[in-house]
């Protein structure tokens, strides 16, 4: 046998081993993915059992239970399957309510932005410049105000 033939056989063997290893790793990873779904389903069912045992005369779900389902909906695509106590529409409504509350909270504390306030004196100066120079547009008036030291 020649050296070239041995090299090609060795390369073919290595390539076949790499392909087999890729298939084996893909199979192992896919088996863990299905296990992840099983673990999430068990978690969802256990949470529903806890909520069911906590309700004595059929009270409403607490905010913590609702938050659990909203988070589960965000992270897991199969969240609808194990639902027993509530409908999937309820979870979607809770998610929308949380979204609205979040934006109400954000808009209440963030007052940054918008146009700067203009004093009455500067406003009067602008109207006087417009009256005395009818051919000037807004960019020219803005430039003149900058030259005078007004930053608008």
């Amino acid at each position: 046998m020649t050296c070239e033939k041995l090299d090609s056989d060795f390369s073919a063997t290595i390539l076949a081993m790499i392909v087999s290893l890729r298939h084996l790793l893909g199979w192992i990873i896919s088996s863990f993915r299905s296990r992840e779904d099983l673990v999430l389903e068990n978690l969802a069912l256990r949470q529903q059992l806890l909520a069911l045992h906590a309700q004595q005369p059929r009270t409403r779900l607490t905010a913590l239970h609702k938050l659990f389902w909203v988070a589960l909906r965000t992270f897991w695509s199969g969240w609808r399957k194990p639902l027993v106590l509530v409908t999937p529409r309820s979870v979607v409504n809770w998610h929308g309510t949380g979204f609205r509350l979040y934006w109400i909270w954000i808009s209440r504390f963030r007052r940054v932005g918008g146009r700067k306030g203009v004093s009455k004196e500067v406003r009067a100066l602008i109207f006087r410049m417009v009256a005395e120079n009818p051919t000037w547009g807004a960019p020219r008036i803005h430039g003149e105000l900058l030259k005078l030291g007004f930053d608008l």
Side-chain angles (χ1 to χ4, degrees):
M1 287 185 123
T2 64
C3 187
E4 292 173 3
K5 176 125 171 100
L6 284 175
D7 284 342
S8 68
D9 288 343
F10 183 71
S11 298
T13 305
I14 293 293
L15 184 62
M17 288 175 62
I18 290 172
V19 169
S20 299
L21 184 63
R22 283 182 61 196
H23 286 295
L24 179 65
L25 287 175
W27 179 76
I28 290 171
I29 289 171
S30 68
S31 68
F32 282 124
R33 284 189 183 150
S34 63
R35 185 169 187 264
E36 179 182 298
D37 283 342
L38 182 64
V39 167
L40 286 172
E41 184 176 354
N42 283 338
L43 179 67
L45 290 171
R46 285 176 187 262
Q47 192 276 338
Q48 287 183 82
L49 280 174
L50 287 172
L52 188 62
H53 288 299
Q55 296 178 357
Q56 275 69 10
R58 182 90 173 135
T59 58
R60 297 168 75 76
L61 290 177
T62 64
L64 192 60
H65 292 295
K66 292 177 183 181
L67 184 63
F68 171 82
W69 282 105
V70 168
L72 195 64
R73 176 180 181 256
T74 304
F75 295 118
W76 184 36
S77 62
W79 64 275
R80 285 185 179 98
K81 190 170 71 170
L83 275 176
V84 177
L85 293 179
V86 295
T87 63
R89 187 73 207 147
S90 297
V91 176
V92 172
N93 288 341
W94 296 337
H95 192 257
T97 302
F99 188 73
R100 280 190 299 280
L101 288 174
Y102 170 75
W103 281 108
I104 288 170
W105 179 70
I106 288 293
S107 64
R108 182 176 44 182
F109 292 114
R110 295 179 89 181
R111 296 288 183 203
V112 180
R115 191 179 288 182
K116 291 181 184 178
V118 179
S119 68
K120 290 183 181 182
E121 295 84 21
V122 174
R123 197 172 294 145
L125 178 61
I126 292 172
F127 285 125
R128 183 174 158 206
M129 291 172 82
V130 169
E132 292 177 2
N133 305 296
T135 59
W136 287 7
R140 174 84 185 261
I141 292 173
H142 183 252
E144 294 296 324
L145 288 172
L146 288 175
K147 287 180 190 176
L148 292 173
F150 297 106
D151 186 26
L152 299 177

